[in-house]
Amino acid sequence: MHKLLVVVKREFLERVRTRAFLITTLLGPVFFAALMIFPAWLALRQKGSDTVAAVTVLDATGTRVGDRVARALADSLPAGAPASSRPVVQHVAPAELPAAERAATAAVVRKERQGVLVLDSATTAGRSARYAGRNASSMADVQHLRDVVRREVLTARLEQAGFPADRVAPIAGARLHLSATSITDSGAGGGGGVGSAIVAMVVAFLLYMTILLYGQNVLRSVIEEKTTRVAEVIVASVRPDVLMAGKVFGVGAVGLLQQLIWFGGAAAVAVYVMPFLHLGERAGAAGAAAQAAQAADATTSFVMPEISFAVVASAVLFFLLGYLLYSALFAAAGAMVNSDQEAQQAAFPVMLPLIGSAVFIQTVVQNPEAGVSRFMAWFPLTAPVLMPMRMALVSTTPLEVGLVVLGLVATVLAALWLAARIYRVGLLMYGKRPSVGELARWVRQAA
């Protein structure tokens, strides 16, 4: 035990005393929050491109709804826009539509037009329209075209139904702002849906990056000691499994300290800073003009959710279990190889489930109650990142959380058992990388 504590202390102090630890601790949350919030902010402010209206509108509806669409697209252009950026309408019979579409597509290929918007009987029926163009992959442009077509088709149908033209436009162009507030099992409001999603994504991203960075820190430490032959000196006085445990616990303590600083700072901001911000909001909303401004800005504002102690404690618990799981596997991967290049190849299978966690973050945010979201949050290799995130989004029962923790603990123990045996033999083995059969023999020999 004494030797284990000595190794843990050495690994912990060696990293905490560096300037890199201080910088990442202070600026890490700012960097991670910027990575999550800035793209979302850009997406909210994103508008169609300047050439979104430079399309050919093929109107095969027989109702001249293409003229309405073209006028609406032209009205969205800034004053003084060149004629080449304005839409062109061609009225064609349904039988002539394929030939007209080929000709319009050729114009797009020659870069004379940006795209082709096809309106037919399915459009006037309110079912579909088609668009093909160089900007078809631009979500903002396609959304703008979809909004214009939907509004003008609705306006035409209302006018055909006998509604006065001067009353149709406000109805068809009305935009409803829907504010979302979470309700937990206790019935209390859990904050805004957008705010909960952002907080959950930040928590998941922090866990993912911390586990990945400190797990690879263990890998690099093992490789360094093995390539410099320092490991041969150390194992003369410390057993390999004690050395691996000390390395994992020491580096893990650094990560835990960083997590506690980050979550403690977030809790302090929530308790001491947020009340002052709410007071400022209430004072600013005293007048009717301010209330109107708030209503107009409802699409871009969100309410910060209440972060419960259970979510914070679970994030710390899942970080510890996830770190133990992956750092043990990274240590075993480091003991198997003899260089940094081989280490990257050996660590890739270990990183795959962790990368899978990052891939499914958006899926869990969009629908945390879906079957795939539940499975990925319960699966032991992805639970350290996705389960705390799911807990921040929806209500989970203690039984569900307990079963996930139990499965993760069993996986961690199995990983530690396997990694300790590979590490014990591989740390002093040099030469070519072992095959799967040789790894199995190492495990049997170390038992």
Side-chain angles (χ1 to χ4, degrees):
M1 179 59 76
H2 174 69
K3 293 181 179 178
L4 174 63
L5 293 178
V6 170
V7 177
V8 171
K9 181 179 178 181
R10 169 180 170 272
E11 297 290 338
F12 179 80
L13 294 179
E14 190 177 64
R15 288 163 176 78
V16 170
R17 288 172 175 172
T18 61
R19 188 175 299 174
F21 174 79
L22 181 62
I23 293 175
T24 55
T25 302
L26 293 177
L27 300 181
V30 178
F31 175 72
F32 292 144
L35 283 180
M36 303 301 297
I37 296 174
F38 187 64
W41 179 76
L42 285 180
L44 287 173
R45 297 178 61 86
Q46 196 172 25
K47 298 179 179 178
S49 64
D50 296 336
T51 59
V52 64
V55 298
T56 300
V57 181
L58 297 180
D59 186 357
T61 64
T63 62
R64 306 191 75 82
V65 72
D67 294 337
R68 292 174 173 271
V69 173
R71 281 197 298 271
L73 290 174
D75 291 342
S76 65
L77 294 173
S84 59
S85 64
R86 297 181 178 279
V88 175
V89 183
Q90 296 181 14
H91 299 282
V92 297
E96 301 171 350
L97 185 58
E101 194 169 350
R102 285 194 295 272
T105 303
V108 176
V109 174
R110 294 193 301 270
K111 298 185 178 179
E112 296 173 359
R113 298 270 81 192
Q114 184 74 351
V116 184
L117 179 61
V118 180
L119 310 177
D120 54 16
S121 58
T123 306
T124 53
R127 293 196 302 269
S128 64
R130 297 200 310 276
Y131 178 74
R134 294 183 176 276
N135 58 343
S137 59
S138 171
M139 296 180 63
D141 284 2
V142 174
Q143 180 64 40
H144 179 67
L145 292 171
R146 182 186 300 115
D147 289 343
V148 169
V149 173
R150 183 202 61 80
R151 184 176 66 247
E152 296 307 320
V153 169
L154 178 59
T155 302
R157 295 180 69 181
L158 288 173
E159 289 180 0
Q160 291 174 359
F163 283 83
D166 57 340
R167 297 178 59 184
V168 168
I171 296 174
R175 298 185 64 182
L176 176 66
H177 302 299
L178 178 64
S179 61
T181 302
S182 299
I183 297 179
T184 63
D185 288 344
S186 61
V194 177
S196 297
I198 291 177
V199 169
M201 291 181 70
V202 170
V203 169
F205 200 66
L206 281 176
L207 291 173
Y208 167 75
M209 291 300 297
T210 309
I211 293 173
L212 180 63
L213 291 177
Y214 283 102
Q216 290 207 324
N217 205 334
V218 173
L219 172 68
R220 287 194 298 272
S221 177
V222 174
I223 286 291
E224 181 181 356
E225 291 181 351
K226 186 172 179 179
T227 54
T228 58
R229 304 288 177 134
V230 173
E232 298 177 9
V233 179
I234 297 177
V235 295
S237 56
V238 181
R239 295 205 320 269
D241 51 351
V242 174
L243 177 61
M244 191 196 82
K247 194 176 293 294
V248 170
F249 291 148
V251 178
V254 179
L256 179 61
L257 175 63
Q258 206 165 45
Q259 291 281 340
L260 291 177
I261 292 174
W262 288 344
F263 285 113
V269 170
V271 173
Y272 298 108
V273 178
M274 293 303 293
F276 290 100
L277 297 180
H278 288 309
L279 284 176
E281 290 175 359
R282 284 195 290 269
Q291 292 177 1
Q294 283 185 346
D297 197 41
T299 53
T300 57
S301 63
F302 64 90
V303 179
M304 284 298 295
E306 297 176 0
I307 303 175
S308 65
F309 174 77
V311 173
V312 176
S314 68
V316 174
L317 175 62
F318 278 98
F319 162 73
L320 288 175
L321 294 174
Y323 167 75
L324 287 175
L325 172 63
Y326 282 100
S327 61
L329 297 177
F330 275 123
M336 290 162 42
V337 297
N338 305 296
S339 64
D340 290 335
Q341 291 79 6
E342 292 181 354
Q344 297 303 322
Q345 297 176 5
F348 184 69
V350 180
M351 294 175 60
L352 278 179
L354 204 52
I355 296 173
S357 304
V359 171
F360 279 90
I361 284 177
Q362 189 172 4
T363 303
V364 177
V365 167
Q366 291 178 344
N367 192 353
E369 293 289 7
V372 64
S373 299
R374 289 174 180 268
F375 174 78
M376 296 304 293
W378 294 344
F379 187 56
L381 296 180
T382 53
V385 173
L386 298 181
M387 190 61 194
M389 179 183 178
R390 187 167 179 273
M391 291 178 65
L393 291 171
V394 297
S395 296
T396 53
T397 63
L399 177 62
E400 177 185 347
V401 177
L403 290 176
V404 174
V405 171
L406 195 62
L408 187 53
V409 168
T411 306
V412 169
L413 292 177
L416 288 173
W417 178 85
L418 181 66
R421 279 154 177 76
I422 294 175
Y423 187 87
R424 188 181 302 171
V425 178
L427 190 62
L428 300 178
M429 298 290 285
Y430 295 92
K432 69 179 183 67
R433 283 178 54 190
S435 62
V436 176
E438 288 172 327
L439 285 177
R441 191 172 67 250
W442 288 6
V443 173
R444 289 195 301 271
Q445 290 176 347

